[in-house]
Coordinates of all heavy atoms in Angstrom, one line a residue:
Chain G
A19 N 1.5 113.6 156.3 CA 2.0 113.2 157.6 C 3.5 112.9 157.5 O 4.0 112.2 156.6 CB 1.3 112.0 158.1
R20 N 4.3 113.5 158.4 CA 5.7 113.2 158.5 C 6.1 112.6 159.8 O 5.8 113.2 160.9 CB 6.5 114.5 158.3 CG 6.6 114.9 156.8 CD 7.5 116.1 156.7 NE 7.7 116.4 155.3 CZ 8.8 116.5 154.6 NH1 10.0 116.3 155.3 NH2 8.9 116.8 153.3
L21 N 6.6 111.4 159.8 CA 7.0 110.7 161.1 C 8.5 110.6 161.1 O 9.1 110.3 160.2 CB 6.3 109.3 161.1 CG 4.8 109.2 161.3 CD1 4.0 109.9 160.2 CD2 4.5 107.7 161.3
R22 N 9.0 110.9 162.3 CA 10.5 111.0 162.5 C 11.0 109.9 163.4 O 10.3 109.5 164.4 CB 10.9 112.3 163.0 CG 10.6 113.5 162.1 CD 11.0 114.8 162.7 NE 10.4 116.0 162.0 CZ 9.2 116.4 162.0 NH1 8.3 115.7 162.8 NH2 8.8 117.4 161.3
C23 N 12.2 109.4 163.1 CA 12.8 108.4 163.9 C 14.3 108.6 164.0 O 15.0 108.7 163.0 CB 12.5 107.0 163.3 SG 13.5 105.7 164.0
S24 N 14.7 108.8 165.3 CA 16.2 108.9 165.5 C 16.6 107.5 166.1 O 16.2 107.1 167.2 CB 16.4 110.0 166.5 OG 16.1 111.3 166.0
P25 N 17.5 106.8 165.4 CA 18.0 105.5 165.9 C 18.8 105.6 167.1 O 19.3 106.7 167.5 CB 18.7 105.0 164.7 CG 19.2 106.2 164.0 CD 18.2 107.2 164.2
M26 N 19.1 104.5 167.7 CA 20.0 104.5 168.9 C 21.4 104.9 168.4 O 21.8 104.7 167.2 CB 20.0 103.1 169.5 CG 18.8 102.7 170.2 SD 18.8 101.0 170.9 CE 20.1 101.2 172.2
K27 N 22.2 105.4 169.3 CA 23.5 105.9 168.9 C 24.3 104.7 168.4 O 24.3 103.6 169.0 CB 24.2 106.4 170.2 CG 25.6 107.1 169.9 CD 26.1 107.7 171.1 CE 27.5 108.4 170.9 NZ 28.0 109.0 172.1
G28 N 25.0 104.8 167.3 CA 25.8 103.8 166.7 C 25.1 102.8 165.8 O 25.6 101.9 165.2
H29 N 23.7 103.0 165.7 CA 22.9 102.2 164.8 C 22.8 102.9 163.4 O 22.3 104.0 163.4 CB 21.6 101.9 165.4 CG 21.6 101.0 166.6 ND1 20.4 100.5 167.1 CD2 22.6 100.5 167.3 CE1 20.7 99.7 168.1 NE2 22.0 99.7 168.3
S30 N 23.1 102.2 162.4 CA 23.0 102.8 161.0 C 21.9 102.1 160.2 O 21.7 102.4 159.0 CB 24.3 102.7 160.3 OG 24.7 101.3 160.2
H31 N 21.2 101.1 160.8 CA 20.1 100.4 160.1 C 18.8 100.8 160.7 O 18.6 100.7 162.0 CB 20.3 98.9 160.2 CG 21.6 98.5 159.5 ND1 21.5 97.7 158.3 CD2 22.9 98.7 159.8 CE1 22.8 97.4 158.0 NE2 23.6 98.0 158.8

Side-chain angles (χ1 to χ4, degrees):
Chain G
R20 281 187 176 233
L21 287 60
R22 296 176 192 78
C23 169
S24 296
M26 289 179 69
K27 187 176 180 181
H29 288 193
S30 59
H31 297 247

